[in-house]
C-alpha cells in the first residue's frame, strides 16, 4: 500500500520519540547500579552415594573359610550312572537323604560341623574320542542345576569333578563358570583322566603338570574374588606321585582357595595307608587333605572313626565311591 504524505512525516517523528525513550531508560538504570540483594536460598551441592557392596554369602555350615572349621562327607559319582559311583544309584532327593545319613555317622567323632556333600563327575572320561576327539563327555551345565539347587537347599556343598581326556582342565572348567559362581560349589581336577597325546584311558594313568593346575587355580581364585564369594575348594585327586608332575610348584597361597590333595587309593588297609603316606612325602605347604572310601574295592571298608584317625593330617573331605 502507498505511504501518504502524512505518513512520511509521522514515521521519522515516531522513530525520534522511541530513541529518546531508550536514552531516558538507560539514564534511569545505569550499568554500574548495585543489584538488589537476592532472596533465593543458597544452592546445596549435589552428592552421590555409593551403595555398600552386598555381604559375602556364607558357606554351608557357616563362615567364609572352608578349613579348619568343618568336615565334609560326600557321595561321589555321576547322576543316573550307578556304575560311576554311589551318587548315581538314586535320584537327587534320595541322594540328598543318603548324603545326610552318611555325614551323620561322622558327627560323633569330631567337634566340627559335618557338612554333607556331592562330588559330581561333570565331565566323564570316555573310551571313544567323541566328536571333538578329546575322549571326554561333558554334562550340560543346565543338567546339573537341579542337583546344585537341591544341595544348596539342604545346606550341602557340591564339587564338580573334571575328567578331561585330551582336553585341558581350564577349558573344561570354564564351561561351568555360572555354577562355580555359586557359594556352595567347588572344583575337582582328576589327573588320572588327563591324557597326553597318544594315550588312552585304562591303558595309561593320566597326569598333569603343576603349571596347568596353577592356570586353573589362578582363574578360579580371580572368579571367586570378583564374584565376592566365600573361599572355594580346589581338590586335586592323586594316588600315584607322577600324576601331578612338579607338584612342589603348585601355587597354594591364594586366600580365595583351599587347595586339597585327595588320596584315591583303594585295596587292603596296608595298600591304602601306603598310598596315603607316600602322597604326604614332599607335599607343598598350605594344602589340606582328603580321603576316599570305596564300597566295593576296599578290603575292608574303613569305618568313620578309622577314616578320621589316619593321620598325620586328618582328612577334612571324605568321599564315598
Amino acid at each position: 500500500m502507498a505511504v501518504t504524505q502524512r505518513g512520511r512525516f509521522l514515521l521519522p517523528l515516531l522513530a525520534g520519540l522511541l530513541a529518546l525513550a531508550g536514552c531516558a531508560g538507560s539514564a534511569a538504570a545505569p550499568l554500574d547500579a548495585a543489584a538488589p540483594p537476592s532472596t533465593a536460598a543458597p544452592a546445596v551441592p549435589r552428592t552421590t552415594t555409593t551403595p555398600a557392596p552386598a555381604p559375602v554369602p556364607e558357606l554351608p555350615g557357616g563362615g567364609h573359610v572352608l578349613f579348619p572349621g568343618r568336615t565334609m562327607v560326600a557321595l561321589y559319582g555321576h547322576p543316573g550312572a550307578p556304575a560311576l559311583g554311589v551318587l548315581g544309584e538314586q535320584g537327587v532327593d534320595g541322594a540328598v537323604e543318603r548324603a545326610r545319613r552318611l555325614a551323620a555317622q561322622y558327627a560323633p567323632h569330631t567337634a566340627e560341623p559335618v557338612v554333607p556333600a556331592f562330588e559330581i563327575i561333570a565331565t566323564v572320561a570316555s573310551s571313544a574320542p567323541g566328536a571333538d576327539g578329546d575322549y571326554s563327555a561333558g554334562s550340560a551345565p543346565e543338567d546339573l542345576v537341579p542337583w546344585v539347587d537341591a544341595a544348596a537347599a539342604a545346606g550341602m556343598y557340591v564339587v564338580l569333578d573334571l575328567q578331561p581326556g585330551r582336553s585341558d582342565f581350564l577349558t573344561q572348567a570354564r564351561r561351568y563358570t555360572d555354577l562355580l559362581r555359586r557359594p556352595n560349589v567347588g572344583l575337582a581336577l582328576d589327573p588320572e583322566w588327563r591324557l597326553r597325546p597318544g594315550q588312552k584311558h585304562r591303558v595309561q594313568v593320566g597326569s598333569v603338570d603343576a603349571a596347568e593346575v596353577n592356570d586353573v587355580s589362578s582363574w578360579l581364585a580371580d572368579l571367586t574374588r570378583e564374584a565376592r564369594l566365600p573361599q572355594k575348594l580346589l581338590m586335586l585327586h592323586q594316588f600315584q606321585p607322577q600324576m601331578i608332575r612338579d607338584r612342589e610348584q603348585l601355587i597354594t597361597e591364594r586366600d580365595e582357595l583351599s587347595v586339597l590333595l585327595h588320596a584315591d587309593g583303594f585295596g587292603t588297609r596296608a595298600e591304602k595307608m601306603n598310598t596315603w603316606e607316600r602322597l604326604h612325602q614332599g607335599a607343598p605347604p598350605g594344602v589340606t587333605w582328603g580321603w576316599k572310601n570305596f564300597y566295593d574295592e576296599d578290603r575292608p571298608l574303613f569305618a568313620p572313626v578309622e577314616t578320621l584317625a589316619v593321620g598325620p593330617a586328618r582328612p577334612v573331605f571324605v568321599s564315598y565311591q
Side-chain angles (χ1 to χ4, degrees):
M1 181 177 64
V3 178
T4 64
Q5 291 292 331
R6 184 175 179 180
R8 291 194 190 97
F9 173 77
L10 290 176
L11 286 175
L13 179 61
L14 289 173
L17 291 174
L18 290 173
L20 289 174
C23 292
S26 298
L31 294 176
D32 59 351
S38 173
T39 57
V44 178
R46 296 181 66 182
T47 60
T48 57
T49 302
T50 302
V56 176
E58 291 197 348
L59 291 158
H64 300 100
V65 176
L66 282 164
F67 311 113
R70 80 201 74 235
T71 299
M72 291 188 182
V73 179
L75 300 181
Y76 173 93
H78 183 73
L84 296 179
V86 296
L87 181 139
E89 293 179 352
Q90 58 279 299
V92 61
D93 294 336
V96 166
E97 183 55 33
R98 184 171 181 178
R100 281 174 163 171
R101 292 197 307 268
L102 190 59
Q105 297 177 26
Y106 281 76
H109 309 297
T110 175
E112 297 178 342
V114 180
V115 176
F118 290 154
E119 185 178 353
I120 301 174
I121 310 173
T123 62
V124 182
S126 173
S127 59
D132 52 9
D134 65 4
Y135 290 85
S136 178
S139 301
E142 57 268 23
D143 292 342
L144 303 181
V145 167
W147 290 78
V148 175
D149 285 347
M156 297 171 54
Y157 201 76
V158 176
V159 183
L160 302 180
D161 184 88
L162 304 180
Q163 300 179 355
R166 293 184 184 175
S167 181
D168 64 89
F169 282 116
L170 182 55
T171 296
Q172 289 204 337
R174 283 177 167 151
R175 298 180 191 173
Y176 303 97
T177 297
D178 288 345
L179 290 175
L180 289 166
R181 289 182 183 276
R182 301 195 182 198
N184 70 316
V185 179
L187 186 65
L189 313 182
D190 199 339
E192 177 184 0
W193 311 107
R194 172 66 170 97
L195 298 178
R196 302 173 76 179
Q199 290 184 330
K200 290 187 177 181
H201 297 306
R202 302 196 182 280
V203 178
Q204 297 90 10
V205 174
S207 62
V208 67
D209 291 319
E212 183 174 325
V213 176
N214 290 340
D215 287 343
V216 176
S217 66
S218 178
W219 172 81
L220 188 61
D222 289 346
L223 176 69
T224 302
R225 184 187 68 253
E226 292 163 4
R228 291 185 53 79
L229 298 172
Q231 192 178 54
K232 194 168 288 294
L233 181 62
L234 177 62
M235 184 157 62
L236 310 176
H237 288 282
Q238 190 177 20
F239 57 86
Q240 293 178 356
Q242 70 273 17
M243 288 172 60
I244 305 177
R245 298 186 297 274
D246 303 319
R247 193 178 68 163
E248 70 281 359
Q249 297 180 21
L250 289 174
I251 296 173
T252 62
E253 295 84 9
R254 292 292 299 262
D255 292 338
E256 297 91 346
L257 304 181
S258 177
V259 179
L260 182 144
L261 293 176
H262 193 274
D264 281 4
F266 61 81
T268 66
R269 288 176 182 266
E271 289 170 334
K272 287 180 74 73
M273 290 306 303
N274 183 55
T275 298
W276 178 253
E277 292 165 3
R278 187 168 65 249
L279 293 180
H280 277 73
Q281 297 172 10
V287 298
T288 51
W289 291 90
W291 174 280
K292 182 179 283 188
N293 285 321
F294 292 80
Y295 281 113
D296 297 331
E297 292 86 358
D298 285 346
R299 304 183 301 275
L301 186 70
F302 275 60
V305 65
E306 295 172 315
T307 300
L308 294 179
V310 292
R314 184 177 75 81
V316 295
F317 189 102
V318 180
S319 59
Y320 280 78
Q321 181 173 342

